[in-house]
Amino acid sequence: MLCINIVCTLSGKRHLSILCNQDNSVLKNNTHLNENKDDNNLLNENFTLANNLCSSEVYLQTLIVSVENNDLKLYVRSIIDLGSRRSYVSKYVADVMKLKCVGEQMVTHGLFGGLKRRENHKKYTIELRNIENNFSCNVEVMDQNKICTSLPKLKDPKNIEELKQLGIFASDICLNENLCLYENDPKEIHILLGADTAARLFTGEIKNLSPDLIAMNTKLGWTIIGRSGIIENDSSSTLMSLLVNDVNISDLWRLDTLNINDPAENQSRKELEEAAKEHFERIVKRDNEGRYIVSLPWIHDHPPLPDGRKIAERRLNSCIKALERAEKLVDYDDVFQDWQKEGIIEEVDPMQEIKQGQHFLPHHPVFKENSTTKVRPVFDGSAKERNTPSINDCLEKGPNLVELIPSLMNRFRVGKCGVIADIKKAFLQIGLQERDRPYLRFLWKDRGKEGNIKILQHKRVVFGISSSPFLLGATLELHLKNAPDHLKETAQQLMRSFYVDNCVFSVNTKKELARFISESQTLLSTAKFELRGWEHSPTEDKIEERQEDRKVPVLGLLWNLLKNTMSLDMKSLMKEDKGPTTKRKILSTVHRIFDPIGFSCPVTLEPKCLLQECWKLGLSW
């Protein structure tokens, strides 16, 4: 048994301090965070940690500097931070000042607690001047969405009077804060001067204002640092820290907060995604035909992957029996024959010496009567024996693509004319490097006949492997980034419109529609991708010709082309079921509704509440 000794700092009892109701005033003070919209937004950005405290104010080295770019000159509130290796400028200032990007850099940020996070930053060179305009310097900075929360200014009358007597002009105290460039709050910080710049700014001149507060001179002006004597009882003090990782209430009950789980799990999802993308860009190649050749994104130090042959053989027999019952065995075999002719798969000599590992994928048929392909094979990358990993357990999955659907659907509704398409056999258009092919082998019997089992292996990316959507998305992104200049605009539109192999976009005119379709097909064809199945809203000259309402699927929803409306596909719920209503049936019904936008929540809440009541009553399935 694992024992954790936790003592509340408020009551001294054995529970977390945040769960204690001993001091209600502390809990009441926390409501101030919700009253300030801007501060709340910053907390959601996960860039700072703010707590309500009854303590003296602490001041950091803030000052006001002049930023010049061409003919534009603005005052910006800044901070000198020796805890940062690099200097930063907010993206807001970069946009307003129209700074010229001089490059990009991928940076690994070492965060509080030993956590790491990789981010890509644009680089700029800015000219800074002090308020007196007798010193200037060029500083290389990187962009950042938010530097930090708004920071307080010195307001102790005694300290301010002492500064005047010493003849110290502190720009952050003496200048009118409304003269500075800001987005929402005059106390915002938009430039951070790190250790790479601070060393050449310090003059060594220091004046003591009190035992805990000093004035430090720099070539850009005087700064104040330390603790004041004023006690803040009614307002919220902001504690700046290096904790810029995910500040989330759910972290309070995660095990890693108590440091009792594997440190490797502390890596953020963002970091793993960036590492997988970086590996992809380093390994990817193109063959003579223009096809992209990728490598599987293996997890570092993944457990040993067994060959999985036994489970593949068992599932092969079940697959053949299912095909024989459906009288689709010949059709299924024809798919493999066609793939072999097209170079999608290849036969492996069973006598060939295995120089490295191998893995066999089970497969099963999926029947689609309304499709041109009545039956197609689907490979199971999650198959595994007890106490052994599957191949999906050993591969990076990339980002959760379902999260992209709401924003995609919103952009789909922006233009007057919606347009959709999909890539024909998208995964099968991406080649695999030879060293990864043995891990994507499978078994088959010609026409299901008894006898020797054939060993086949994939030469292309496989549908059913968890990393395949990531590989397709990364390939499309790389291809579109390298689009020729005359197709750049369309490439940017495509980058915002793909969900796996589905293209979802909208335009405003018939001319834009024709251009988008033509240039999209031209652009993707050079990478062996074929955009097909085009559907779009009727243009103004065609509206009268279409009398019937026609619905087509769009990312799990139904799109009425004529009315230009979206709805849920309710066919699966319309099937009459005369059997008794059970907990299993309620659960199945709830999960049949695919609603990534969430507009059916008021209705789907009812069966979920009913299911909850079934659990409370202890009903069986």
Side-chain angles (χ1 to χ4, degrees), residues 595-619:
D595 178 17
I597 306 298
F599 55 78
S600 66
C601 287
V603 177
T604 55
L605 180 62
E606 290 295 328
K608 291 177 182 177
C609 291
L610 180 61
L611 185 64
Q612 188 180 52
E613 291 299 320
C614 292
W615 281 103
K616 290 180 180 179
L617 294 173
L619 301 179

mmCIF file of all heavy atoms in Angstrom, residues 595-619:
data_model
loop_
_atom_site.group_PDB
_atom_site.id
_atom_site.type_symbol
_atom_site.label_atom_id
_atom_site.label_comp_id
_atom_site.label_asym_id
_atom_site.label_seq_id
_atom_site.Cartn_x
_atom_site.Cartn_y
_atom_site.Cartn_z
ATOM 1 N N ASP A 595 -22.372 13.593 -32.926
ATOM 2 C CA ASP A 595 -22.649 15.036 -32.959
ATOM 3 C C ASP A 595 -21.423 15.797 -32.471
ATOM 4 O O ASP A 595 -21.347 16.200 -31.311
ATOM 5 C CB ASP A 595 -23.865 15.344 -32.085
ATOM 6 C CG ASP A 595 -24.182 16.832 -32.041
ATOM 7 O OD1 ASP A 595 -23.681 17.569 -32.912
ATOM 8 O OD2 ASP A 595 -24.919 17.253 -31.123
ATOM 9 N N PRO A 596 -20.424 16.012 -33.342
ATOM 10 C CA PRO A 596 -19.205 16.697 -32.910
ATOM 11 C C PRO A 596 -19.418 18.166 -32.568
ATOM 12 O O PRO A 596 -18.640 18.756 -31.836
ATOM 13 C CB PRO A 596 -18.275 16.553 -34.122
ATOM 14 C CG PRO A 596 -19.196 16.397 -35.291
ATOM 15 C CD PRO A 596 -20.383 15.654 -34.768
ATOM 16 N N ILE A 597 -20.497 18.774 -33.098
ATOM 17 C CA ILE A 597 -20.769 20.179 -32.812
ATOM 18 C C ILE A 597 -21.457 20.344 -31.465
ATOM 19 O O ILE A 597 -21.242 21.319 -30.753
ATOM 20 C CB ILE A 597 -21.661 20.798 -33.920
ATOM 21 C CG1 ILE A 597 -21.016 20.575 -35.280
ATOM 22 C CG2 ILE A 597 -21.874 22.284 -33.677
ATOM 23 C CD1 ILE A 597 -19.671 21.221 -35.431
ATOM 24 N N GLY A 598 -22.284 19.365 -31.098
ATOM 25 C CA GLY A 598 -22.938 19.400 -29.795
ATOM 26 C C GLY A 598 -24.287 20.078 -29.786
ATOM 27 O O GLY A 598 -24.814 20.386 -28.715
ATOM 28 N N PHE A 599 -24.912 20.306 -30.980
ATOM 29 C CA PHE A 599 -26.194 21.021 -30.967
ATOM 30 C C PHE A 599 -27.357 20.130 -30.533
ATOM 31 O O PHE A 599 -28.463 20.610 -30.343
ATOM 32 C CB PHE A 599 -26.490 21.678 -32.327
ATOM 33 C CG PHE A 599 -26.452 20.769 -33.505
ATOM 34 C CD1 PHE A 599 -27.486 19.915 -33.789
ATOM 35 C CD2 PHE A 599 -25.362 20.785 -34.370
ATOM 36 C CE1 PHE A 599 -27.455 19.088 -34.901
ATOM 37 C CE2 PHE A 599 -25.326 19.971 -35.481
ATOM 38 C CZ PHE A 599 -26.376 19.110 -35.750
ATOM 39 N N SER A 600 -27.115 18.812 -30.370
ATOM 40 C CA SER A 600 -28.190 17.917 -29.915
ATOM 41 C C SER A 600 -28.114 17.655 -28.415
ATOM 42 O O SER A 600 -28.878 16.843 -27.897
ATOM 43 C CB SER A 600 -28.119 16.584 -30.671
ATOM 44 O OG SER A 600 -26.929 15.889 -30.339
ATOM 45 N N CYS A 601 -27.202 18.325 -27.714
ATOM 46 C CA CYS A 601 -27.004 18.062 -26.286
ATOM 47 C C CYS A 601 -28.272 18.167 -25.443
ATOM 48 O O CYS A 601 -28.496 17.332 -24.560
ATOM 49 C CB CYS A 601 -25.925 18.990 -25.728
ATOM 50 S SG CYS A 601 -24.264 18.549 -26.256
ATOM 51 N N PRO A 602 -29.134 19.172 -25.676
ATOM 52 C CA PRO A 602 -30.354 19.237 -24.852
ATOM 53 C C PRO A 602 -31.225 17.985 -24.966
ATOM 54 O O PRO A 602 -31.947 17.643 -24.025
ATOM 55 C CB PRO A 602 -31.085 20.470 -25.409
ATOM 56 C CG PRO A 602 -30.002 21.318 -25.981
ATOM 57 C CD PRO A 602 -29.004 20.354 -26.545
ATOM 58 N N VAL A 603 -31.160 17.302 -26.113
ATOM 59 C CA VAL A 603 -31.977 16.106 -26.313
ATOM 60 C C VAL A 603 -31.244 14.856 -25.836
ATOM 61 O O VAL A 603 -31.826 14.001 -25.155
ATOM 62 C CB VAL A 603 -32.352 15.959 -27.804
ATOM 63 C CG1 VAL A 603 -33.138 14.670 -28.038
ATOM 64 C CG2 VAL A 603 -33.147 17.167 -28.265
ATOM 65 N N THR A 604 -29.971 14.735 -26.183
ATOM 66 C CA THR A 604 -29.219 13.522 -25.825
ATOM 67 C C THR A 604 -28.923 13.449 -24.330
ATOM 68 O O THR A 604 -28.503 12.398 -23.833
ATOM 69 C CB THR A 604 -27.897 13.473 -26.606
ATOM 70 O OG1 THR A 604 -27.148 14.678 -26.372
ATOM 71 C CG2 THR A 604 -28.161 13.348 -28.093
ATOM 72 N N LEU A 605 -29.129 14.548 -23.606
ATOM 73 C CA LEU A 605 -28.911 14.515 -22.165
ATOM 74 C C LEU A 605 -29.909 13.581 -21.474
ATOM 75 O O LEU A 605 -29.569 12.928 -20.483
ATOM 76 C CB LEU A 605 -29.045 15.930 -21.595
ATOM 77 C CG LEU A 605 -28.850 16.076 -20.086
ATOM 78 C CD1 LEU A 605 -27.440 15.657 -19.689
ATOM 79 C CD2 LEU A 605 -29.122 17.514 -19.646
ATOM 80 N N GLU A 606 -31.142 13.495 -22.002
ATOM 81 C CA GLU A 606 -32.179 12.693 -21.364
ATOM 82 C C GLU A 606 -31.802 11.209 -21.287
ATOM 83 O O GLU A 606 -31.858 10.614 -20.214
ATOM 84 C CB GLU A 606 -33.510 12.883 -22.104
ATOM 85 C CG GLU A 606 -34.136 14.255 -21.922
ATOM 86 C CD GLU A 606 -34.535 14.503 -20.477
ATOM 87 O OE1 GLU A 606 -34.903 13.537 -19.779
ATOM 88 O OE2 GLU A 606 -34.451 15.662 -20.037
ATOM 89 N N PRO A 607 -31.441 10.568 -22.418
ATOM 90 C CA PRO A 607 -31.063 9.145 -22.298
ATOM 91 C C PRO A 607 -29.813 8.934 -21.450
ATOM 92 O O PRO A 607 -29.665 7.890 -20.809
ATOM 93 C CB PRO A 607 -30.829 8.717 -23.750
ATOM 94 C CG PRO A 607 -30.634 9.963 -24.520
ATOM 95 C CD PRO A 607 -31.425 11.010 -23.816
ATOM 96 N N LYS A 608 -28.908 9.917 -21.405
ATOM 97 C CA LYS A 608 -27.720 9.787 -20.554
ATOM 98 C C LYS A 608 -28.111 9.818 -19.079
ATOM 99 O O LYS A 608 -27.543 9.072 -18.272
ATOM 100 C CB LYS A 608 -26.729 10.904 -20.873
ATOM 101 C CG LYS A 608 -26.080 10.762 -22.244
ATOM 102 C CD LYS A 608 -25.151 11.929 -22.554
ATOM 103 C CE LYS A 608 -24.557 11.785 -23.954
ATOM 104 N NZ LYS A 608 -23.697 12.938 -24.301
ATOM 105 N N CYS A 609 -29.072 10.675 -18.744
ATOM 106 C CA CYS A 609 -29.566 10.703 -17.360
ATOM 107 C C CYS A 609 -30.284 9.404 -17.016
ATOM 108 O O CYS A 609 -30.168 8.894 -15.900
ATOM 109 C CB CYS A 609 -30.508 11.891 -17.161
ATOM 110 S SG CYS A 609 -29.683 13.500 -17.227
ATOM 111 N N LEU A 610 -31.015 8.868 -17.999
ATOM 112 C CA LEU A 610 -31.701 7.592 -17.794
ATOM 113 C C LEU A 610 -30.694 6.473 -17.549
ATOM 114 O O LEU A 610 -30.889 5.617 -16.677
ATOM 115 C CB LEU A 610 -32.575 7.278 -19.011
ATOM 116 C CG LEU A 610 -33.373 5.969 -18.964
ATOM 117 C CD1 LEU A 610 -34.349 5.983 -17.789
ATOM 118 C CD2 LEU A 610 -34.145 5.770 -20.271
ATOM 119 N N LEU A 611 -29.597 6.491 -18.315
ATOM 120 C CA LEU A 611 -28.557 5.490 -18.132
ATOM 121 C C LEU A 611 -27.924 5.619 -16.749
ATOM 122 O O LEU A 611 -27.616 4.622 -16.085
ATOM 123 C CB LEU A 611 -27.496 5.655 -19.226
ATOM 124 C CG LEU A 611 -26.381 4.600 -19.267
ATOM 125 C CD1 LEU A 611 -26.965 3.226 -19.574
ATOM 126 C CD2 LEU A 611 -25.338 4.969 -20.306
ATOM 127 N N GLN A 612 -27.757 6.846 -16.296
ATOM 128 C CA GLN A 612 -27.194 7.079 -14.970
ATOM 129 C C GLN A 612 -28.100 6.490 -13.887
ATOM 130 O O GLN A 612 -27.623 5.888 -12.912
ATOM 131 C CB GLN A 612 -26.998 8.574 -14.758
ATOM 132 C CG GLN A 612 -26.247 8.933 -13.486
ATOM 133 C CD GLN A 612 -26.077 10.425 -13.334
ATOM 134 O OE1 GLN A 612 -27.049 11.173 -13.413
ATOM 135 N NE2 GLN A 612 -24.853 10.870 -13.131
ATOM 136 N N GLU A 613 -29.406 6.645 -14.055
ATOM 137 C CA GLU A 613 -30.347 6.085 -13.095
ATOM 138 C C GLU A 613 -30.284 4.564 -13.083
ATOM 139 O O GLU A 613 -30.423 3.930 -12.030
ATOM 140 C CB GLU A 613 -31.777 6.548 -13.424
ATOM 141 C CG GLU A 613 -32.026 8.019 -13.180
ATOM 142 C CD GLU A 613 -31.821 8.388 -11.716
ATOM 143 O OE1 GLU A 613 -32.225 7.602 -10.832
ATOM 144 O OE2 GLU A 613 -31.238 9.456 -11.448
ATOM 145 N N CYS A 614 -30.047 3.966 -14.265
ATOM 146 C CA CYS A 614 -29.920 2.500 -14.344
ATOM 147 C C CYS A 614 -28.735 2.014 -13.519
ATOM 148 O O CYS A 614 -28.808 0.976 -12.845
ATOM 149 C CB CYS A 614 -29.763 2.052 -15.792
ATOM 150 S SG CYS A 614 -31.230 2.302 -16.810
ATOM 151 N N TRP A 615 -27.653 2.765 -13.572
ATOM 152 C CA TRP A 615 -26.469 2.410 -12.784
ATOM 153 C C TRP A 615 -26.766 2.523 -11.293
ATOM 154 O O TRP A 615 -26.355 1.678 -10.490
ATOM 155 C CB TRP A 615 -25.295 3.316 -13.151
ATOM 156 C CG TRP A 615 -24.616 2.926 -14.426
ATOM 157 C CD1 TRP A 615 -24.726 3.510 -15.640
ATOM 158 C CD2 TRP A 615 -23.709 1.830 -14.609
ATOM 159 N NE1 TRP A 615 -23.953 2.871 -16.576
ATOM 160 C CE2 TRP A 615 -23.306 1.827 -15.966
ATOM 161 C CE3 TRP A 615 -23.185 0.848 -13.757
ATOM 162 C CZ2 TRP A 615 -22.427 0.900 -16.482
ATOM 163 C CZ3 TRP A 615 -22.306 -0.080 -14.270
ATOM 164 C CH2 TRP A 615 -21.938 -0.065 -15.623
ATOM 165 N N LYS A 616 -27.476 3.599 -10.906
ATOM 166 C CA LYS A 616 -27.785 3.791 -9.497
ATOM 167 C C LYS A 616 -28.671 2.674 -8.949
ATOM 168 O O LYS A 616 -28.540 2.262 -7.799
ATOM 169 C CB LYS A 616 -28.493 5.142 -9.302
ATOM 170 C CG LYS A 616 -27.593 6.348 -9.504
ATOM 171 C CD LYS A 616 -28.378 7.641 -9.302
ATOM 172 C CE LYS A 616 -27.491 8.862 -9.495
ATOM 173 N NZ LYS A 616 -28.267 10.124 -9.320
ATOM 174 N N LEU A 617 -29.568 2.177 -9.811
ATOM 175 C CA LEU A 617 -30.469 1.103 -9.387
ATOM 176 C C LEU A 617 -29.792 -0.261 -9.413
ATOM 177 O O LEU A 617 -30.365 -1.257 -8.970
ATOM 178 C CB LEU A 617 -31.709 1.081 -10.294
ATOM 179 C CG LEU A 617 -32.630 2.306 -10.190
ATOM 180 C CD1 LEU A 617 -33.716 2.255 -11.257
ATOM 181 C CD2 LEU A 617 -33.260 2.376 -8.794
ATOM 182 N N GLY A 618 -28.574 -0.325 -9.981
ATOM 183 C CA GLY A 618 -27.840 -1.593 -10.023
ATOM 184 C C GLY A 618 -28.423 -2.581 -11.004
ATOM 185 O O GLY A 618 -28.296 -3.808 -10.812
ATOM 186 N N LEU A 619 -29.074 -2.094 -12.073
ATOM 187 C CA LEU A 619 -29.676 -2.991 -13.057
ATOM 188 C C LEU A 619 -28.600 -3.701 -13.875
ATOM 189 O O LEU A 619 -27.543 -3.137 -14.163
ATOM 190 C CB LEU A 619 -30.595 -2.203 -13.988
ATOM 191 C CG LEU A 619 -31.760 -1.458 -13.320
ATOM 192 C CD1 LEU A 619 -32.558 -0.694 -14.365
ATOM 193 C CD2 LEU A 619 -32.662 -2.432 -12.569
#
